[in-house]
Each structure stands twice: as C-alpha cells, then as structure tokens.
Amino acid sequence: STNSSSSSSNMDNILRNEQVPINVRDRTSDTLNAFDREPTLMRNLVSQVMSCPKFTTRDAKAAPLAARLANFLPGLNQTKKKILPANNNNDTTPKQQPNIHGETPPPSNINWIHATDHFVCRSSHDIPYTAYSAYSTDESVESTLAAMATPTLAHLAWRFRQWY
C-alpha cells in the first residue's frame, strides 16, 4: 500500500506542477467555421442556395415537420426576430440579431441546426427529449418527439449537402 500511496502522491505532484496548454483559435482565422470567417461569402452562398427552386420545393416539403417541431420547441421558429441587449458603449438601444438568411426565413421556417442539436445533445446525455419543458411528464409528447428525431437529422443532413 505504501507503493500505491507513493504513486498517487507522485501523480498529484505531476498534475499540480504540469500545465496543459489550451490553444483557442482567433475567430478570424478559425478554419472550422466558415460563417464566422467569411460572413459575406456565406450569406451570399446561403442566399443562392435558398433561392434555388429545387431547394425551396424540398425544404417546403419539410414544413409540416418543422411546424410540429416548433409547436413543441417554440424557440426554433425563424420568424421571431431575436433582440440582443444593447452594447456596453453607453448605447442603450437593443440591436436585432443579424440573420444570415437576409430578411427571408427559410421555406420550412425553423432553425434546423438548433432542432438537430436538441435531439443529438439530449440523446448523447441520455436525457428525455421533453426534459426541462412544459411537456416533461407527457409520455405521448416524448414519443412524438422521438419519432421526429430521425427525420429532423435527415433533413439537416440534406440541407448541408446543398451548400457544402
């Protein structure tokens, strides 16, 4: 047991004395997020894709799924403009959040990334889809959301293929 105690003590000393470097990329040179790196280019690309009849037709076909999702997860709705707090430079005027889609929301009218995040994150952490909502005790809503998870992920995957 002296050996085990000694090993533990050595590990504690190593952990206390060692620094783990963390590299946070500068937002302007982060190659992983094209929307932050090239907002104008990406806004134009998104506009071009979203104005294509083939895209609008297929995305509009997902409108019933989107409406059902927004019914249970109202924060997904794209027609509600988010208001950001005023900045800290003595400006008390609230600012509207910039919209990468321009003034026109997507045909299906929800944020599919946020919808997918809802399902992926809760599934990954083994949390019910209805947790922390007004439906947290409603098994029928849990079943309904569970049935919408795969079609939601599939639609987002299709959308990504349109501009990547």
Side-chain angles (χ1 to χ4, degrees), residues 85-164:
N87 65 26
N88 293 337
N89 299 332
N90 297 325
D91 180 2
T92 57
T93 311
K95 306 290 183 226
Q96 273 192 354
Q97 181 175 4
N99 184 351
I100 64 160
H101 307 298
E103 289 305 308
T104 307
S108 53
N109 207 36
I110 68 165
N111 185 314
W112 289 95
I113 294 172
H114 293 170
T116 300
D117 278 353
H118 179 83
F119 293 113
V120 170
C121 293
R122 286 168 186 252
S123 175
S124 297
H125 295 283
D126 202 25
I127 298 172
Y129 297 133
T130 54
Y132 313 109
S133 76
Y135 307 103
S136 62
T137 59
D138 191 331
E139 283 300 316
S140 68
V141 174
E142 181 68 25
S143 296
T144 300
L145 285 171
M148 291 190 282
T150 298
T152 301
L153 275 66
H155 190 69
L156 178 65
W158 170 79
R159 285 174 62 99
F160 273 165
R161 285 191 305 270
Q162 303 314 297
W163 44 67
Y164 287 117

Side-chain angles (χ1 to χ4, degrees), residues 9-28:
S9 178
N10 285 339
M11 184 56 84
D12 289 343
N13 285 333
I14 289 171
L15 292 175
R16 258 186 249 122
N17 295 324
E18 290 294 316
Q19 292 183 0
V20 177
I22 297 174
N23 182 18
V24 178
R25 297 177 199 213
D26 183 78
R27 186 175 213 180
T28 58

Side-chain angles (χ1 to χ4, degrees), residues 25-45 100 163-164:
R25 297 177 199 213
D26 183 78
R27 186 175 213 180
T28 58
S29 63
D30 182 357
T31 58
L32 298 177
N33 190 340
F35 286 91
D36 283 342
R37 188 181 65 249
E38 300 284 345
T40 304
L41 175 70
M42 294 309 294
R43 192 174 4 269
N44 290 340
L45 175 61
I100 64 160
W163 44 67
Y164 287 117

